[in-house]
Amino acid sequence: MIDAFQLQTRQTRLQVPLIYGVDAVHGYNNVVGATIFPHNAGLGAARDPRLVEQAAAITAKEVKATGIPWNFAPCLCVSRDDRWGRAYESFGEDPALVTRMATVVDGLQDHGVLATAKHYVGDGGTVFGSSTTGDYTIDQGVTTTTREELAAIHLAPFKEAVKRGVATVMPSFSSVDFGDGPLKMHAHDELINGTLKGKLGFKGFVISDWQAIDQIPGDYPSDVRTSVNAGLDMIMVPYAYPEFTGTLKAEVEAGRVPMSRIDDAVARILTQKFRLGLFERPYADRSHLRDVGSPAHRAVARKAAAKSQVLLKNDGGLLPLRRNAKVYVAGSNADDIGNQSGGWTITWQGSSGPITPGTTILEAVRSRAASVTYSRDASAGLAGHDVGVVVVGETPYAEGQGDVGRAGRTLDLPAADRAAVDKVCGAMKCVVLVVSGRPLLLGDLSGVEAVVASWLPGTEGDGVADPLFGAVPYTGRLPFTWFRSVAQLPINVGDASYDPLFPYGWGGCVPTGPATGSRTPATGSRAETSRPGRPR
């Protein structure tokens, strides 16, 4: 497809090559059989900038192998409300943590793929109930803040990305309100021209989000001139491009968009095309196609999944599990590649089921335990087992379609999962694995010995089972505060009133054990944190 597009450019007057971009936000998530890494929430829990860079390098290699030189990643949002449908795209709630993970820019760009820092700026701070997009409740809403607070919490990771030479920046669908009314980011001259290109010295180009200029108040000519004059260099217009190009030409001819603004935008875009060598090599290099989804790449994804696991509770030293244990496995997310990969997997919203090759958590447990009984709803007989593993959590969603309050969505465990936990954990010692893009309301845990936040681990379920059975220790730490009740939301480290179920940075450590499963009690620890606005 890409080569066919480039072939068309050979027939134009100047033969300027196209640059094609794709959302590969947790590995090459658009291609069946490619390597799917944990979403950013899990990578934030891993707290390993070098591993994040390595994952990005692998993503770049797989994307580049199919002829694509540009990735609409990373998301450097600082998510401040678990009700947001994009929370899992964030590395965490603390700007210091998100800033450390900006190594993803190097992983992509050092391997020939342009990175995109998104969504500039403040998309993780929108107020619940402020969205005016369809039935969304928080996504694409309004971040009500001060300039100082915006800089301290939301701008810091972008400043780091610019320092690392990020090639492109994508504004957010959301708005910022400094006290004089909300202004769409795609129209925000102060924050794009003034701050990003001015104070931060960003030299790359600004790319709009999908049809985002259409959300700017006013008619279409106003949308076009406002966004371009605010500093947008390339506009993502998937369908109405003849109207856009005609409108922009008319605005320039009328003097409402200066020709100097067009020259600046074109120069910025051409600079990045030359940087990629597209003029010399516009076509795909197919020599590395065999590396897409390769065992070596999947091994890194497995390591990332293992390091992302956060041990929340381990009463009586239940974990690690013994290899000779008779294990009862239940729950909606135990045997589902689609669910454990989440949104942005093969399709935009993702979907349940065997949507791409990988190893489910159930398959990974079966490869380790001496005996495994699986019953999704815990309807099979419970007697005769040593331990239960109940894998619960969310089904896939992306963007505002995952907002709490939209179409009845809540942060509660599904009723079937809650029933499975009650049945299994009422009959035997058990561990609950929470496969989700954000903290969930867990309810009464008094009858549950162990709880693990598994996030959205991707296609490599072995990474979930590795620490579960002691092959590696649990080292992940919470990138988000785990709320006690939904009435506390939004809740973040540094709040004046802070009484979570598990604090930001919490994570137990279980040393590795022999195959028969020595049990060492975990010790939950409150990791070092920075108050928002004080990057470490």
Side-chain angles (χ1 to χ4, degrees):
M1 182 186 76
I2 303 301
D3 283 354
F5 291 165
Q6 296 292 21
L7 189 61
Q8 291 297 312
T9 70
R10 302 298 88 187
Q11 301 173 29
T12 63
R13 181 172 62 91
L14 297 177
Q15 298 188 351
V16 176
L18 279 165
I19 180 171
Y20 190 91
V22 69
D23 288 280
V25 300
H26 64 132
Y28 198 6
N29 47 258
N30 304 286
V31 172
V32 173
T35 308
I36 307 297
F37 286 89
H39 270 293
N40 286 350
L43 295 178
R47 279 173 166 69
D48 188 336
R50 289 187 178 182
L51 179 61
V52 167
E53 182 177 350
Q54 188 179 9
I58 288 172
T59 301
K61 291 175 183 177
E62 296 199 4
V63 168
K64 189 82 178 290
T66 60
I68 297 175
W70 185 17
N71 189 7
F72 300 131
C75 185
L76 294 178
C77 56
V78 181
S79 178
R80 307 288 286 177
D81 195 324
D82 299 328
R83 294 170 291 189
W84 188 32
R86 303 193 83 143
Y88 64 76
E89 294 187 57
S90 172
F91 290 109
E93 69 183 43
D94 187 345
L97 174 59
V98 179
T99 299
R100 288 178 61 206
M101 298 301 114
T103 52
V104 64
V105 172
D106 302 331
L108 291 169
Q109 297 192 163
D110 289 350
H111 293 84
V113 172
L114 300 186
T116 306
K118 66 182 190 183
H119 302 89
Y120 183 84
V121 59
D123 56 334
T126 53
V127 176
F128 187 80
S130 66
S131 181
T132 56
T133 300
D135 58 358
Y136 293 180
T137 56
I138 186 168
D139 188 37
Q140 304 185 21
V142 180
T143 298
T144 302
T145 185
T146 63
R147 288 173 175 81
E148 293 74 21
E149 185 180 61
L150 186 80
I153 296 178
H154 299 286
L155 190 62
F158 290 93
K159 184 176 181 180
E160 178 66 20
V162 171
K163 283 183 181 179
R164 291 178 180 272
V166 69
T168 68
V169 170
M170 181 183 290
S172 174
F173 278 112
S174 58
S175 304
V176 171
D177 186 353
F178 289 135
D180 49 1
L183 180 60
K184 284 285 184 182
M185 270 307 312
H186 281 72
H188 216 302
D189 175 80
E190 176 190 345
L191 290 176
I192 298 175
N193 281 328
T195 300
L196 179 63
K197 292 182 173 180
K199 293 178 182 177
L200 298 188
F202 174 62
K203 302 302 182 185
F205 69 87
V206 179
I207 168 71
S208 87
D209 209 331
W210 178 276
Q211 292 182 298
I213 69 168
D214 296 357
Q215 294 188 8
I216 299 173
D219 59 18
Y220 193 64
S222 173
D223 295 346
V224 172
R225 67 174 172 267
T226 298
S227 59
V228 173
N229 286 335
L232 270 71
D233 302 302
M234 183 184 286
I235 311 297
M236 197 180 294
V237 187
Y239 304 117
Y241 50 90
E243 181 184 4
F244 170 79
T245 54
T247 300
L248 180 57
K249 287 178 182 178
E251 290 298 305
V252 172
E253 291 168 356
R256 290 185 287 268
V257 175
M259 196 63 205
S260 59
R261 174 76 272 272
I262 302 299
D263 290 342
D264 174 57
V266 171
R268 286 170 177 268
I269 295 166
L270 286 175
T271 297
Q272 298 307 323
K273 289 183 177 182
F274 280 116
R275 176 182 183 180
L276 289 169
L278 286 175
F279 283 84
E280 298 80 13
R281 300 176 303 278
Y283 300 112
D285 177 0
R286 290 170 162 79
S287 61
H288 295 288
L289 275 172
R290 66 172 63 95
D291 294 331
V292 176
S294 67
H297 288 182
R298 288 177 180 271
V300 178
R302 174 177 177 170
K303 178 181 179 181
K307 294 197 74 171
S308 74
Q309 303 297 294
V310 179
L311 184 60
L312 300 177
K313 180 182 180 183
N314 192 28
D315 287 355
L318 178 65
L319 301 183
L321 300 180
R322 294 179 289 110
R323 293 289 294 269
N324 59 3
K326 294 181 179 179
V327 182
Y328 189 103
V329 180
S332 63
N333 287 346
D335 193 30
D336 198 306
I337 283 287
N339 286 0
Q340 72 187 47
S341 296
W344 292 108
T345 309
I346 309 305
T347 58
W348 171 42
Q349 289 294 316
S351 58
S352 301
I355 60 175
T356 192
T359 303
T360 68
I361 296 169
L362 172 64
E363 291 168 339
V365 171
R366 278 179 169 156
S367 71
R368 287 162 176 75
S371 171
V372 175
T373 298
Y374 170 61
S375 176
R376 177 187 171 101
D377 61 359
S379 60
L382 296 163
H385 298 89
D386 299 315
V387 65
V389 177
V390 189
V391 190
V392 302
E394 297 183 300
T395 53
Y397 55 82
E399 299 191 33
Q401 295 193 31
D403 283 357
V404 168
R406 178 197 172 272
R409 184 177 290 276
T410 71
L411 294 175
D412 297 332
L413 285 180
D417 276 348
R418 185 73 251 178
V421 170
D422 292 342
K423 290 173 70 174
V424 176
C425 298
M428 65 192 80
K429 291 183 178 180
C430 76
V431 53
V432 173
L433 307 180
V434 185
V435 175
S436 66
R438 52 195 168 187
L440 298 179
L441 188 63
L442 298 180
D444 184 9
L445 296 176
S446 60
V448 179
E449 282 75 19
V451 181
V452 177
S454 293
W455 308 109
L456 298 171
T459 53
E460 307 313 300
D462 281 314
V464 177
D466 283 340
L468 186 66
F469 284 87
V472 297
Y474 279 102
T475 57
R477 290 179 285 157
L478 285 181
F480 301 107
T481 298
W482 204 291
F483 60 89
R484 189 180 297 277
S485 77
V486 293
Q488 295 177 303
L489 297 176
I491 182 172
N492 296 284
V493 64
D495 288 352
S497 177
Y498 191 69
D499 180 31
L501 183 63
F502 301 107
Y504 172 87
W506 180 268
C509 179
V510 175
T512 56
T516 54
S518 65
R519 298 182 182 178
T520 306
T523 55
S525 62
R526 188 187 296 261
E528 78 277 7
T529 63
S530 66
R531 294 182 70 85
R534 298 186 157 224
R536 292 180 273 108

